Amino acid sequence: MRYWLLIIFLTLSASLPAQINMDSLDRAIRDMPYGPKRLNAIKDEIQRHFQSQPDEAVRYAYWYAEEAAEMGDPIWQARGSNFLGIATFSAGDIPGSIEHYLAAYRSFEKARDSLAMGITLNNLAAAYEIRNKTAETLKYYQAALDIFQAVDNQEWIAICENNLANQYMEEDPARALAAYQRSYEIHQNLGIAGRDGAFLMNMGNCYLDLGEYDQAIAMHEAAIPHLEEIHDMHGLSNAHHSLGIAYFDQNKLDQAETHLQIGWDLAEGILQRQVDLASSLSELYKARGAYQTALLWRDRHMQLQDSLFDQEKDEQMTKMMAEFEAEKKDQEIRLLTAEKELGERRILMLGGGSILLGIIALLIAFFWRTNQRQNRLLSQKNADLAQALDEKESLMREIHHRVKNNLQVISSLLRLQGRRLQDSGAKTAIEASQARLEAISLIHQFLYRDTEVTQVDLKAYLEELLTQLERLYQDTVGELETSRDIDTVDLDIDSVLPISLIVNELLTNAFKYAPQSGQAARIHLGLKRETEGLRLTVADNGPGYDAGAHRADSLGLRLVRTFVDRLSGTLDIQAQPGTTIQIFMPWTALAS
């Protein structure tokens, strides 16, 4: 729930009027003499459009690059490549923007323009960040920071420190906090206004992740006046959401409810923020024992999440259509060029005035038409295959979506039935069945929300499953410490399903037998890639596994052994102190 400070791409000042007739403006620029003044006018148009009308920004960027190339000055040409990177980034063409940024960097490097090299590396890192390439993102942000420190440009040092802090936030909030603090201090010293609210919120979220609630609350409360001053509704909603979480984690439910409700009211029209807030409100009312209200907020969360998925799907379709139209225009240009070249060849041949040349022209036309017909047939076949593939993927997503919803309905019915039961054994069996359904439902949720409809990111899935179980048992377990060490691996649903049920059974058992008082419950989940396969580890500091005290035919243990056998794996249980269970699964039995 980090509040992202905007990455700065251009060190330009926006002072042009917002609405100017495009044709008259283009004519005015073309009437200027060639040179720096004309290029600066084009540059101003790139800046004016790159956020609101990225396609226009791309047009102006290509215009700038063409004229910079005609001038022959390597610095102007490098700037042209950088502006193309900025414009294509804004238009959603991330691979194209990376290509332009790399070209700009090489040119700035030849010209030994260090500051421009650093700015270009920062932009390049931002492009990799959008593509979720963490290693490349960190590499280029750090390289940019090294350059800014070498030339002692304090403002860009602050910007780069902030961007790196955003990357550290997930894995190392203490390191992120230190970077945010350095960046904030520089902005304060330079007297740069307008960003205080974002910095304070980012630092507050670091303190929240570190469990330092007083500091987190102080930072978010300090951020609110700055956000109100610039009318940042998204930031205000985020700040109140974070305050609600801080109070909730301290079991101060009245204060938590106040801030979560304010955050919800401010989030109108911000779909992602509404999804997160609805989930938090559901957890709040569950903690209060208001289960009916909690269920209503849970349903609202699921509906909003589905709407968000549909919105993302619409955006993907729009992008695909734009790419299709661009490709179609390129094909038309190539066809017109080919026809023009063919016409020129015909004129040259007719100049000879011979019958032989006329025959040759007819043969060329015949072969050209034959080639065009074959190309059209091939293009149609490719288009049909692409359409069939898209339809198949859409159908698969819809199937996974419906399966997930049906499983959620069954889970809700089991929950309602469980509340009416008096027998503790029956209630335990219902709860175990519900947890298994939730584990399976989560797989289908990952499949319909991801761009890849046949494989699951096992690392992300297991982390989400552990988080769900933490929420489920947080009221029954005292002090709880969880840790995880999970490698990245993608597997298909046939492998993920048995693994998910194994992990669900082992974690549920670990939570169930966790120390109840006088000692913090510590639970570890690990999944490591090895040369021959995957090794799964679940460990806890509970009373330890006693084979004599566990029924050999218990359903949970039978399920684990059955799924381990299905994966051709081995099961190893080590007891005293605590319990450590390791399962090895060979690659030959896993479908990746």
Side-chain angles (χ1 to χ4, degrees):
M1 200 177 57
R2 175 167 64 260
Y3 182 70
W4 295 86
L5 183 69
L6 290 177
I7 299 168
I8 299 177
F9 299 111
L10 292 170
T11 54
L12 308 174
S13 59
S15 58
L16 294 175
Q19 298 294 330
I20 299 178
N21 182 277
M22 204 73 68
D23 293 336
S24 62
L25 184 58
D26 285 4
R27 283 195 298 271
I29 295 174
R30 293 185 192 282
D31 289 341
M32 295 179 181
Y34 281 93
K37 183 178 180 180
R38 176 162 161 157
L39 283 175
N40 283 330
I42 300 172
K43 175 195 70 176
D44 289 338
E45 290 309 300
I46 298 171
Q47 189 221 359
R48 191 163 70 89
H49 291 95
F50 89 96
Q51 286 184 319
S52 58
Q53 293 177 288
D55 290 338
E56 281 299 310
V58 171
R59 182 174 71 85
Y60 280 110
Y62 274 109
W63 185 0
Y64 185 105
E66 289 169 4
E67 297 207 357
E70 291 177 8
M71 286 179 62
D73 188 316
I75 289 293
W76 290 101
Q77 291 174 0
R79 291 173 182 168
S81 296
N82 190 47
F83 292 147
L84 275 170
I86 293 165
T88 51
F89 180 96
S90 300
D93 181 10
I94 307 304
S97 71
I98 291 173
E99 181 180 344
H100 293 306
Y101 285 142
L102 288 170
Y105 178 78
R106 286 191 290 268
S107 298
F108 284 131
E109 189 176 34
K110 288 180 182 178
R112 298 183 179 179
D113 189 336
S114 297
L115 180 60
M117 288 165 58
I119 295 172
T120 305
L121 287 173
N122 180 81
N123 296 348
L124 185 60
Y128 276 113
E129 186 172 357
I130 292 295
R131 299 192 71 188
N132 294 319
K133 299 287 187 180
T134 304
E136 290 85 351
T137 302
L138 287 170
K139 170 185 172 182
Y140 289 115
Y141 275 142
Q142 187 60 55
L145 179 61
D146 292 342
I147 291 175
F148 297 139
Q149 289 173 337
V151 300
D152 195 29
N153 187 299
Q154 292 297 304
E155 181 175 3
W156 274 102
I157 289 173
I159 292 168
C160 237
E161 288 275 21
N162 179 83
N163 293 340
L164 281 166
N166 289 339
Q167 300 304 305
Y168 302 147
M169 187 70 175
E170 298 294 337
E171 301 294 335
D172 193 348
R175 187 179 183 186
L177 176 61
Y180 282 136
Q181 288 171 334
R182 290 193 296 270
S183 183
Y184 182 54
E185 183 179 350
I186 294 172
H187 275 82
Q188 292 287 317
N189 293 337
L190 294 176
I192 299 173
R195 303 175 193 163
D196 289 354
F199 277 116
L200 290 166
M201 286 182 61
N202 282 339
M203 288 188 287
N205 284 328
C206 287
Y207 282 120
L208 190 59
D209 284 356
L210 291 168
E212 298 181 25
Y213 297 113
D214 291 340
Q215 288 280 13
I217 290 169
M219 287 290 174
H220 284 99
E221 288 180 342
I224 287 174
H226 295 287
L227 298 169
E228 289 175 339
E229 184 178 351
I230 60 175
H231 306 290
D232 185 353
M233 295 298 105
H234 186 281
L236 285 167
S237 174
N238 197 319
H240 284 287
H241 190 182
S242 295
L243 283 167
I245 291 174
Y247 284 118
F248 179 84
D249 287 350
Q250 298 178 89
N251 204 32
K252 298 178 180 179
L253 301 185
D254 289 339
Q255 295 97 317
E257 183 175 8
T258 298
H259 285 289
L260 290 177
Q261 285 291 353
I262 293 172
W264 173 261
D265 294 338
L266 292 169
E268 184 176 359
I270 309 172
L271 189 55
Q272 180 62 66
R273 176 73 27 234
Q274 289 178 320
V275 169
D276 295 337
L277 279 157
S279 177
S280 295
L281 283 162
S282 175
E283 294 298 321
L284 171 77
Y285 287 111
K286 177 183 173 183
R288 282 189 175 280
Y291 297 111
Q292 190 65 33
T293 306
L295 188 59
L296 290 173
W297 278 107
R298 179 67 177 172
D299 290 343
R300 185 175 295 182
H301 165 74
M302 292 173 61
Q303 292 167 4
L304 289 167
Q305 198 169 43
D306 290 344
S307 299
L308 181 64
F309 168 71
D310 292 338
Q311 184 185 76
E312 291 172 348
K313 185 166 64 176
D314 290 342
E315 290 172 355
Q316 290 174 358
M317 290 297 295
T318 301
K319 183 178 178 182
M320 288 171 60
M321 288 301 297
E323 292 174 352
F324 171 76
E325 291 296 331
E327 178 63 22
K328 187 168 69 174
K329 288 179 182 178
D330 289 342
Q331 289 176 352
E332 290 174 354
I333 291 170
R334 287 195 294 270
L335 180 59
L336 289 172
T337 302
E339 290 176 346
K340 179 182 176 183
E341 291 175 353
L342 182 60
E344 291 172 351
R345 292 193 190 103
R346 284 174 176 171
I347 291 171
L348 290 173
M349 287 186 290
L350 288 173
S354 68
I355 297 174
L356 179 60
L357 290 178
I359 294 171
I360 292 173
L362 290 172
L363 287 172
I364 291 174
F366 170 76
F367 285 120
W368 178 79
R369 289 174 182 170
T370 302
N371 185 55
Q372 288 295 102
R373 188 182 305 111
Q374 291 174 344
N375 286 341
R376 283 196 298 271
L377 290 171
L378 182 59
S379 298
Q380 184 60 47
K381 288 181 179 179
N382 288 337
D384 291 343
L385 287 172
Q387 182 180 358
L389 180 60
D390 289 343
E391 289 174 354
K392 178 183 176 182
E393 290 183 349
S394 297
L395 180 61
M396 288 296 294
R397 285 195 181 90
E398 182 62 24
I399 290 171
H400 288 306
H401 192 182
R402 294 190 181 187
V403 170
K404 187 269 297 185
N405 286 341
N406 289 338
L407 290 171
Q408 289 288 343
V409 170
I410 296 170
S411 178
S412 297
L413 291 172
L414 286 173
R415 185 186 301 113
L416 294 173
Q417 183 64 36
R419 290 175 187 165
R420 297 189 178 93
L421 293 173
Q422 300 299 322
D423 183 80
S424 60
K427 291 187 72 170
T428 300
I430 288 289
E431 289 170 356
S433 298
Q434 184 185 339
R436 291 166 189 141
L437 282 171
E438 293 285 350
I440 299 171
S441 173
L442 187 60
I443 296 175
H444 291 281
Q445 179 175 316
F446 268 74
L447 285 169
Y448 86 75
R449 291 183 59 186
D450 201 355
T451 55
E452 175 58 62
V453 296
T454 59
Q455 292 193 316
V456 176
D457 180 349
L458 193 55
K459 173 182 172 70
Y461 171 80
L462 292 179
E463 288 179 341
E464 179 64 22
L465 180 61
L466 178 57
T467 301
Q468 283 192 5
L469 289 171
E470 282 183 88
R471 293 197 200 104
L472 181 63
Y473 285 96
Q474 63 185 0
D475 295 334
T476 59
V477 179
E479 185 179 352
L480 177 62
E481 298 175 9
T482 60
S483 61
R484 61 206 72 185
D485 184 12
I486 304 173
D487 287 347
T488 299
V489 59
D490 292 336
L491 297 175
D492 73 6
I493 190 172
D494 290 336
S495 298
V496 173
L497 183 59
I499 292 173
S500 71
L501 291 170
I502 290 170
V503 174
N504 179 75
E505 295 298 329
L506 297 180
L507 286 176
T508 299
N509 197 62
F511 281 110
K512 187 186 300 183
Y513 293 102
Q516 297 299 310
S517 62
Q519 184 183 6
R522 290 188 293 274
I523 296 173
H524 173 76
L525 173 62
L527 183 74
K528 305 301 290 181
R529 300 175 69 104
E530 297 183 359
T531 304
E532 301 296 329
L534 287 176
R535 186 171 299 278
L536 173 69
T537 303
V538 176
D540 63 66
N541 65 334
Y545 177 82
D546 182 357
H550 288 71
R551 292 186 306 159
D553 62 343
S554 66
L555 178 59
L557 187 57
R558 291 206 328 261
L559 280 174
V560 170
R561 294 190 185 279
T562 298
F563 289 127
V564 169
D565 290 342
R566 180 186 296 182
L567 296 171
S568 303
T570 57
L571 174 66
D572 178 42
I573 303 176
Q574 300 174 11
Q576 303 301 336
T579 301
T580 299
I581 298 177
Q582 289 196 343
I583 296 173
F584 179 77
M585 298 163 284
W587 291 121
T588 53
L590 298 173
S592 59

